[in-house]
Amino acid sequence: MQSWRRKSLWLALSASWLLILLRVFPVLRLAEPARRQAGAPQGWPRWLDAELLQSFSQPGELLEDGPQPPQAPRGGSCYRGACFDASRCRGGGLKVFVYPAVGPISETPRKVLTSIEGSRYHTASAAEACLLILVLSPDTPAGECHPVLPQWDGGKNHLVLSLHPAPCLRIFQLGQAMVAEASPTMDTFRPGFDVALPLLPEAHPLRGGALGQLQQHSPLPGVALIAVAEERGGWRTVGTNFSACPWDGRCEQDHGPKQTHPRATLPNATFCLIPGRNPDALHFLQALQAGCIPVLLSPRWELPFSEVIDWTKAAVVADERLPLQVLAALQEMPLTRVLALRQQAQFLWDAYFSSVEKVIHTTLEIIQDRVSGASAHPSLLWNSPPGALLALSTFSTSPSDFPFYHLQQGSRPLGRFSALIWVGALGQPPLKLIQAVAGAQHCAQILVLWSSKKPPPPRWPETAVPLTVLDGHRKASDRFLPYSAISTDAILSLDAHSSLSTSEVDFAFMVWQSFPERMVGFLTWSHFWDETQGGWGYTGERANEFSMVLTSAAFYHRYYHTLFTHSLPKALRTLADESPPCVDVLMNFLVAAVTKLPPIKVPYGPWHQEAKPPLVPGSPRLRSEPRPGAQDCINQMASGFGHMPLVSSRLRLDPVLFKDPVSVLRKKYRSLEKP
């Protein structure tokens, strides 16, 4: 009996010591997820690495998809319902009016104004606007920080925006206005009402922006490097020895090689240690661009767009008072987790931060989501490629309706397609083409977009699928309008002069079902850099390499019609209408910019015509090469996108046994060898 009592006493003492260790031991304090408290900062990553901490976390916390919207504001009494009148957003749509600049302004505010005016939410009338935006300039003298705004109304339904620290923001009487500020402090930021912006460098581009710099095996696997942000904007690269303490002098220094990088050089490192002071917020964006995992040491500012971006998938927050434990945890992080964090950092940089235009459009999209409701953009759309800016909520709020998420969700698009045949100004009824397409196994309907000067024929050939004639407006871009008559996800875009066999259509559709986010086509063009002209060019000559497929015979997802109509600048669509061959270039630019992938080529019989652009109004014949005047459109479009999005490829998918000397009975697509 006494032995049993001694064992019980020993177990009780052991349990007591264990509880004390769990409270005070630094490693466990670093690893333990932070508990939510009333008024505590929200939106930050709450643990270092979920794979290392499963025994210290509740299962519900680890399975959480993303940061939850805050329930109560802090730093003031304003919140969405009290200081923002959503009833002014008629029909749930956001209309934005921006106050014109008064006097000379610097380059960054000018970029902000251009981005707002170029968004699909902009309106020139303050009376019909749901949100009125005042852009503060860092150059505004303190004595002019109280502009007279006739629609101010105490700041209700207003947004005061500043991409750089502006003296006006500190003394401006905000009232009920929302604030979109670069790197706001946690004690003044109001979650769910204000918007946290990134701190951008002065030379940040208006649109496009530099691509992320992450490369495969850069640095080599197993070589864990750390870059430490320095006060004057540079980076210092050090090793990750267990005894290292790179950001202070309270532990033994690493004896490995150190390298100091100038201010303009981004770090080639796995982890970027960033102190928590507000001036260091600029390093955060540099780390994202470099594909370096940001390790934020006791941050004192709100992370940009924390309302919608799940930063647990791209960044790490740590306690700067525990240097040895932080370094040990980083060194033990699994390589799979490291790669996932770096890839997510690159995606976030490209989707939301690489240009002023993306930062401004993300801000407006967040406010639009508040107006429409929390379900307007699920967390998956914000935190998975291509991002919420390219997943328009006006099209759908379900990820399964977009072509980008089938692979993630293990689904496939529906097994039917709609044939959209465009008849140009001098076109004739494509009777033979209609019969060939109608005989395809998966054809659901045929839509003839009649843009010819001649009236359509009174009778059309009888087909096994419905045939509908749509009235066009004689513009080349009419074929890419989101027609409500299209009932399927897949579209087979055709011109009246196209020539395809039923087997070619069947095989191309089967290929598209495996790659629903891409364009799958028969005729190809390729782009190239012309050193003599100092610009881009493109050609229709047959070659192994290509980067575009012509929409005169191509499969793609119907969502690209919505993107083409509602997301592209009007100037680019006007350019395409003025030079019809540019329509193919513009559509390929759009899909490549969204997917970062090349199109796919499928076999096209030698008995067909060579690759030709769409029919040009007033042209006596079709041309196999782009006209000289149309060559410049690729440079204008590259300028409009801010970069060259086209990706070259040499891949062509052919059916098995297509040209093998075997029995015809063994071939599924037998007529591919026959005219």
Side-chain angles (χ1 to χ4, degrees):
M1 180 67 69
Q2 291 182 353
S3 175
W4 179 83
R5 290 180 178 176
R6 283 197 298 270
K7 290 182 179 179
S8 300
L9 181 61
W10 182 83
L11 290 173
L13 290 174
S14 299
S16 301
W17 278 108
L18 181 60
L19 290 175
I20 294 174
L21 288 174
L22 286 173
R23 282 293 211 179
V24 303
F25 199 66
V27 175
L28 300 183
R29 279 197 292 168
L30 174 69
E32 186 179 4
R35 303 296 183 213
R36 290 187 182 271
Q37 299 177 359
Q42 305 290 328
W44 285 96
R46 287 171 290 150
W47 53 75
L48 191 62
D49 180 32
E51 294 184 13
L52 294 176
L53 309 175
Q54 293 183 1
S55 59
F56 304 104
S57 306
Q58 298 297 326
E61 290 179 308
L62 290 178
L63 294 176
E64 191 175 39
D65 184 37
Q68 299 299 316
Q71 300 299 321
R74 64 172 184 272
S77 59
C78 260
Y79 56 94
R80 198 179 310 167
C83 298
F84 188 86
D85 184 10
S87 64
R88 294 176 58 176
C89 307
R90 301 180 183 90
L94 180 68
K95 290 293 183 181
V96 171
F97 172 81
V98 58
Y99 289 103
V102 178
I105 59 174
S106 58
E107 184 65 22
T108 299
R110 184 178 294 106
K111 293 177 182 177
V112 172
L113 294 174
T114 301
S115 301
I116 296 174
E117 293 169 354
S119 74
R120 63 180 182 276
Y121 299 121
H122 179 256
T123 177
S125 171
E128 67 178 22
C130 168
L131 179 70
L132 296 94
I133 300 180
L134 174 64
V135 179
L136 296 183
S137 173
D139 304 327
T140 304
E144 302 177 9
C145 289
H146 300 279
V148 179
L149 305 175
Q151 294 88 11
W152 180 246
D153 189 23
K156 202 174 187 101
N157 282 58
H158 275 71
L159 175 69
V160 180
L161 191 149
S162 175
L163 272 181
H164 296 285
C168 284
L169 197 57
R170 302 302 170 210
I171 61 178
F172 191 77
Q173 299 299 322
L174 296 173
Q176 298 181 336
M178 293 184 289
V179 175
E181 180 187 4
S183 304
T185 58
M186 290 185 173
D187 56 343
T188 61
F189 182 76
R190 297 166 293 182
F193 189 70
D194 293 338
V195 180
L197 302 180
L199 183 59
L200 301 179
E202 291 289 345
H204 211 58
L206 170 61
R207 59 176 59 93
L211 299 177
Q213 298 183 347
L214 177 63
Q215 298 179 0
Q216 189 176 12
H217 303 323
S218 173
L220 295 175
V223 181
L225 297 178
I226 285 182
V228 184
E230 294 188 326
E231 293 183 0
R232 296 185 178 181
W235 292 90
R236 179 166 50 92
T237 304
V238 299
T240 55
N241 190 295
F242 262 94
S243 62
C245 184
W247 65 87
D248 63 18
R250 292 182 294 158
C251 51
E252 181 184 350
Q253 292 297 313
D254 181 23
H255 299 292
K258 298 181 178 68
Q259 184 179 1
T260 301
H261 302 271
R263 182 167 186 169
T265 302
L266 294 171
N268 180 20
T270 303
F271 299 101
C272 284
L273 302 184
I274 303 173
R277 301 177 296 273
N278 278 55
D280 297 301
L282 186 61
H283 289 98
F284 178 75
L285 220 56
Q286 293 175 347
L288 288 182
Q289 182 182 359
C292 185
I293 302 171
V295 181
L296 303 157
L297 304 173
S298 304
R300 300 180 181 91
W301 74 88
E302 189 73 17
L303 217 58
F305 306 137
S306 55
E307 182 177 340
V308 295
I309 294 179
D310 184 2
W311 286 107
T312 62
K313 299 177 180 178
V316 170
V317 64
D319 194 334
E320 61 184 348
R321 299 169 297 178
L322 306 171
L324 292 178
Q325 288 76 9
V326 171
L327 294 176
L330 295 179
Q331 192 174 49
E332 295 174 7
M333 185 178 293
L335 291 180
T336 54
R337 177 66 172 165
V338 169
L339 180 59
L341 288 170
R342 298 187 74 180
Q343 288 178 333
Q344 187 70 3
Q346 291 286 266
F347 154 65
L348 294 176
W349 161 262
D350 180 71
Y352 306 118
F353 300 110
S354 61
S355 68
V356 173
E357 186 177 71
K358 289 180 181 178
V359 171
I360 298 303
H361 288 185
T362 302
T363 303
L364 298 180
E365 203 69 34
I366 290 174
I367 299 175
Q368 168 62 44
D369 276 12
R370 295 176 184 175
V371 173
S372 302
S375 62
H377 274 123
S379 179
L380 177 64
L381 300 185
W382 277 106
N383 295 282
S384 297
L389 297 184
L390 294 172
L392 303 182
S393 57
T394 53
F395 177 79
S396 176
T397 59
S398 173
S400 60
D401 291 334
F402 294 91
F404 328 112
Y405 303 107
H406 289 293
L407 181 61
Q408 295 185 34
Q409 299 187 329
S411 61
R412 296 187 67 182
L414 298 178
R416 306 279 280 174
F417 71 86
S418 299
L420 181 61
I421 305 175
W422 180 65
V423 181
L426 300 178
Q428 299 294 329
L431 304 181
K432 186 176 180 180
L433 178 62
I434 289 175
Q435 292 176 341
V437 173
Q441 181 180 357
H442 301 286
C443 182
Q445 60 178 164
I446 296 177
L447 304 174
V448 178
L449 182 59
W450 193 266
S451 297
S452 176
K453 298 178 181 179
K454 303 177 181 179
R459 298 187 60 182
W460 293 85
E462 295 184 3
T463 59
V465 296
L467 189 149
T468 305
V469 179
L470 304 177
D471 185 23
H473 301 285
R474 299 179 185 176
K475 291 183 179 180
S477 61
D478 283 354
R479 68 174 69 186
F480 299 135
L481 293 176
Y483 295 102
S484 58
I486 300 175
S487 60
T488 61
D489 288 339
I491 294 177
L492 172 58
S493 176
L494 296 167
D495 284 346
H497 68 274
S498 300
S499 178
L500 290 175
S501 68
T502 302
S503 292
E504 287 171 331
V505 173
D506 283 335
F507 177 71
F509 178 69
M510 185 194 70
V511 172
W512 178 86
Q513 283 187 298
S514 299
F515 305 94
E517 75 281 8
R518 303 204 208 183
M519 297 180 70
V520 176
F522 301 87
L523 309 173
T524 60
W525 282 350
S526 59
H527 76 291
F528 58 90
W529 179 258
D530 191 342
E531 291 286 353
T532 59
Q533 299 294 329
W536 295 101
Y538 63 110
T539 178
E541 292 182 357
R542 285 195 172 186
N544 291 331
E545 192 170 81
F546 62 92
S547 56
M548 294 178 279
V549 294
L550 272 66
T551 57
S552 57
F555 277 99
Y556 53 81
H557 197 282
R558 69 185 177 96
Y559 175 61
Y560 291 122
H561 279 205
T562 301
L563 269 185
F564 188 96
T565 304
H566 297 293
S567 71
L568 286 177
K570 185 178 179 180
L572 291 182
R573 298 199 306 270
T574 302
L575 173 64
D577 288 332
E578 293 174 352
S579 181
C582 293
V583 175
D584 290 276
V585 179
L586 184 55
M587 191 61 168
N588 279 272
F589 263 58
L590 175 64
V591 178
V594 171
T595 63
K596 310 296 188 296
L597 295 169
I600 294 178
K601 177 178 173 57
V602 289
Y604 191 54
W607 53 88
H608 296 311
Q609 299 177 4
E610 297 291 335
K612 293 181 175 61
L615 188 62
V616 180
S619 175
R621 60 185 179 89
L622 294 172
R623 302 174 184 265
S624 60
E625 281 293 311
R627 294 179 301 159
Q631 282 285 356
D632 190 52
C633 75
I634 191 171
N635 291 292
Q636 296 184 50
M637 290 178 184
S639 176
F641 276 78
H643 68 290
M644 169 52 71
L646 296 178
V647 181
S648 297
S649 174
R650 296 183 179 181
L651 173 67
R652 190 182 97 165
L653 298 183
D654 287 47
V656 178
L657 306 180
F658 173 35
K659 292 186 176 180
D660 290 353
V662 296
S663 170
V664 176
L665 298 178
R666 295 177 57 188
K667 299 182 179 183
K668 183 176 181 180
Y669 304 100
R670 305 169 189 172
S671 63
L672 288 184
E673 295 189 52
K674 301 178 181 180

